[in-house]
């Protein structure tokens, strides 16, 4: 890239030296100053083309030089970001699926009843539980990040609630349900009558139902 800058600088120098009027050189006055043999508009077009070519080149090079950690994180389902304190923390991938109307209603009821889901950015079961709700419904759920290096983490809450697997649903009466759960089960827990499981789209199963505390990452 440094070499490319040098080439561009040399081209621009030669362009202006050869194509512009040069009335004096080191104080010497030309008797008949050379005239530019390219018009002003042609020179502008040349410079514009040169800049476009350079911009395209550098943009392409930058795009091809993605940090390996970003590529790996994308495959894992979470991404590194820098918080206000200058620390690297991790954000879980966004929920992709669209919510059903009853999933959104269920999410509102869970929120109104003070139900909390604790999970971690790195746990695939946590991500899968989010997808079961869909993006519109999930935005209404009260979620606590347990991993210390997760974005807006609150590991103290998870320790106080004795969370030992992810995700864990925590109810105001002290009851806890560990592992990803069908929406119908959560609806039953809070007395959501009329919930129709057949209206919800399932996801391919994962091994087990939760990520265990013994496998916890930071």
């Amino acid at each position: 890239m440094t070499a490319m800058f040098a080439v561009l600088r040399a081209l621009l120098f030669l362009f202006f030296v050869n194509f512009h009027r040069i009335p004096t050189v080191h104080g010497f006055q030309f008797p008949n100053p050379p005239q530019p043999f390219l018009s002003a508009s042609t020179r502008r077009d040349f410079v514009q083309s040169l800049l476009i070519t350079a911009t395209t080149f550098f943009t392409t090079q930058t795009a091809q030089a993605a940090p390996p950690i970003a590529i790996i994180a994308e495959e894992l389902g979470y991404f590194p970001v820098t918080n206000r304190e200058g620390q690297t923390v991790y954000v879980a991938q966004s929920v992709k699926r669209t919510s059903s109307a009853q999933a959104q209603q269920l999410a509102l009821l869970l929120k109104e009843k003070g139900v909390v889901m604790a999970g971690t950015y790195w746990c695939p079961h946590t991500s899968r539980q989010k997808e079961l709700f869909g993006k519109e419904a999930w935005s209404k759920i009260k979620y606590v990040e347990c991993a210390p290096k997760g974005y807006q983490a609150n590991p103290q809450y998870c320790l106080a609630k004795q969370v030992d697997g992810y995700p864990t649903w925590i109810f105001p009466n002290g009851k806890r349900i560990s592992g990803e759960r069908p929406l119908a089960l959560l609806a039953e827990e809070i007395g959501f009558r009329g919930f129709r499981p057949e209206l919800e789209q399932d996801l391919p199963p994962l091994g087990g139902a939760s990520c265990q505390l013994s496998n916890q990452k930071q």
Side-chain angles (χ1 to χ4, degrees):
M1 188 170 292
T2 302
M4 186 64 181
F5 270 121
V7 171
L8 288 174
R9 186 168 55 188
L11 286 173
L12 287 171
F13 174 79
L14 292 173
F15 175 81
F16 285 108
V17 166
N18 289 285
F19 297 162
H20 281 69
R21 184 193 302 267
I22 309 177
T24 61
V25 175
H26 297 299
F28 175 78
Q29 180 73 36
F30 281 92
N32 295 306
Q35 300 296 317
F37 57 87
L38 290 180
S39 66
S41 61
T42 302
R43 293 198 302 272
R44 284 195 300 269
D45 291 342
F46 174 84
V47 173
Q48 184 178 17
S49 299
L50 191 62
L51 291 175
I52 291 173
T53 301
T55 302
T56 303
F57 173 83
F58 291 124
T59 302
T60 303
Q61 294 301 309
T62 301
Q64 292 175 349
I69 188 172
I71 298 173
I72 295 172
E74 185 174 0
E75 292 297 322
L76 292 174
Y78 52 85
F79 306 87
V81 297
T82 302
N83 62 16
R84 294 179 179 179
E85 289 73 35
Q87 301 168 327
T88 298
V89 294
Y90 295 89
V91 179
Q93 64 181 350
S94 300
V95 180
K96 298 179 176 62
R97 298 207 314 174
T98 300
S99 304
S100 67
Q102 71 172 0
Q104 295 184 58
Q105 187 178 357
L106 172 60
L108 281 173
L109 288 172
L110 288 167
K111 182 178 180 179
E112 290 173 1
K113 292 181 178 293
V115 181
V116 175
M117 192 186 100
T120 63
Y121 68 87
W122 52 263
C123 174
H125 292 287
T126 298
S127 298
R128 191 173 184 275
Q129 184 74 83
K130 295 177 182 180
E131 289 292 341
L132 286 173
F133 275 93
K135 56 188 175 183
E136 294 84 4
W138 178 251
S139 66
K140 301 173 176 63
I141 296 291
K142 172 63 176 176
Y143 173 72
V144 175
E145 175 62 52
C146 294
K149 289 189 177 180
Y151 180 66
Q152 295 182 334
N154 189 357
Q156 293 79 12
Y157 173 90
C158 302
L159 288 172
K161 296 296 182 180
Q162 299 180 335
V163 175
D164 58 2
Y166 312 109
T168 292
W169 289 95
I170 303 169
F171 295 81
N173 61 4
K175 183 175 182 177
R176 294 179 300 160
I177 299 178
S178 182
E180 61 176 87
R181 299 299 175 184
L183 300 191
L185 184 146
L186 296 172
E188 183 180 352
E189 284 291 333
I190 62 172
F192 181 3
R193 297 180 180 179
F195 188 89
R196 299 174 58 188
E198 67 273 13
L199 297 180
E200 300 303 319
Q201 184 179 359
D202 201 2
L203 290 171
L206 293 173
S210 66
C211 302
Q212 298 303 309
L213 187 61
S214 58
N215 298 327
Q216 181 168 346
K217 301 180 183 180
Q218 294 298 311

